[in-house]
Each structure stands twice: as C-alpha cells, then as structure tokens.
Amino acid sequence: MAFSADELRVLRRALAIALHPMPLSDEDVQDCLRLAGSVDEAVGEAGRLRAFLLADLARYRAALPGSVSGYLELLQDALAAGYDPRPDDLAALRALRGKPLAAALLERCQILAERSVRARLAGRSAALTAPGPRSRLLALPGGRAADREPERPKAPAAPGRPPAPGQRPAPKPSEVFPPRRPTPPPSEEERAAG
C-alpha cells in the first residue's frame, strides 16, 4: 500500500496526536476520516483482488494440464502475495514436476505448506496448554448450586403405601411393557399382494 504525500502528512499528524494528545481542529478530524476511508477502501480492494486471484488459480488448476504455463504463473503471483499452498496445489505440482519451473515451485510449496502446518499445530498446542479464563463450576460443590438449599432425597414409597403428595406412583410392569396381543396370520389375498 502506498500513501500520497498529503496522506503521509495526515498520518504523521494523527500519530503525533496519538502520542501527545491535544485538541483537534475540525479540519484535522476530517483529514483523518478521509485517510481512514482511503485505507479501508484499499484493504477492501486488496481483499477483492486476492479473492479474484485465488478463484483464477482454482480455474487454472482445474484445467490442468492444458493450462500449465498460466497456472504456474498465477501460483507464483499468489505465493508472492502470501498464499499458503493447498493440497490440490501440491498434487498438481507433483503431476507437473517434469517441468523445471513446476519442480522448483513444488519444492517451495512443500516448504511453505510444512511451515503453515507447524504454525497451526504450535498455535493449537499453545491454545491447549495456555490457561483459559476460569469460571465457577455450577455442577460441583462450591458453585452457584451451593448458594441454594440442597434438595433432600425423598424416601422411596413403601410397597402398598400411597405416594406422597406431588410424587407420581411408580408404574407397574404391565404399564411399561404391555402384553403382546397375538396377530392373526395374513390372509391368502394379503400374501399374494405382499
């Protein structure tokens, strides 16, 4: 990203104000807002350009081997822009390694892919080992549940005794597992149709 001389002047002034706070004039505020808008626009444009480049790269990769030169050129541009090669890229380069440029790109992409995987694994292991924010456990003694009065266990109803008020009686086995009713054998018409 390149700044014009006027944008650099505004940026310097904004940094000086950030380091040594002082009241801003309306003109300074407007200049800072314009600069922020320009930066946002440039970032959005860079994102659109990157998305276009990656979509183009995928199209060329799908058209291989007929698009070898275009694919290798686009892959070089994408790598220069910070693209992490994907498994599809590595597979395509392995198939094209007979060409010197493809072999060199394959070597470069393997190194970049390995670095990317190691960085992701290091980030995961750091996230797993780093202590996270602690919150009170609600299910264990000492959590919020301890603030309430503990429920007393209800004594099971003795057989033959009516259940306590608000307590549902235990179901009988015949209610849970109703008896099986015999089904009549299928008629000859049903057997012929089925």
Side-chain angles (χ1 to χ4, degrees):
M1 184 181 306
F3 290 104
S4 69
D6 190 43
E7 290 172 332
L8 280 176
R9 180 184 53 76
V10 172
L11 186 60
R12 272 194 214 112
R13 207 168 351 136
L15 289 173
I17 292 168
L19 291 173
H20 305 288
M22 65 178 92
L24 289 172
S25 68
D26 288 343
E27 183 183 337
D28 288 341
V29 171
Q30 291 303 319
D31 287 344
C32 288
L33 289 175
R34 270 194 299 276
L35 178 62
S38 297
V39 169
D40 288 344
E41 187 179 323
V43 168
E45 185 63 31
R48 285 190 293 278
L49 184 62
R50 179 179 172 78
F52 176 77
L53 177 66
L54 295 181
D56 218 15
L57 183 65
R59 279 193 294 277
Y60 272 79
R61 185 176 48 237
L64 286 173
S67 62
V68 173
S69 61
Y71 172 70
L72 296 177
E73 214 174 283
L74 280 173
L75 183 59
Q76 282 180 316
D77 291 345
L79 292 174
Y83 172 71
D84 279 336
R86 301 207 163 84
D88 294 343
D89 296 312
L90 296 172
L93 288 172
R94 283 187 192 105
L96 300 170
R97 75 176 117 196
K99 300 193 176 292
L101 180 58
L105 276 174
L106 174 62
E107 196 173 310
R108 181 177 172 196
C109 286
Q110 284 174 331
I111 292 168
L112 291 173
E114 186 177 324
R115 278 187 202 154
S116 176
V117 167
R118 285 178 193 237
R120 275 185 272 151
L121 288 175
R124 279 190 193 154
S125 65
L128 292 176
T129 58
R134 294 205 145 219
S135 62
R136 293 179 67 183
L137 296 175
L138 302 179
L140 297 176
R144 286 188 187 157
D147 297 343
R148 288 183 256 133
E149 186 175 314
E151 289 184 25
R152 295 195 178 114
K154 296 177 180 166
R161 209 162 104 194
Q167 187 178 10
R168 195 171 149 226
K172 297 177 190 171
S174 62
E175 293 173 337
V176 177
F177 304 105
R180 294 184 78 183
R181 310 248 188 260
T183 56
S187 66
E188 299 225 0
E189 295 170 357
E190 291 174 344
R191 272 190 259 157

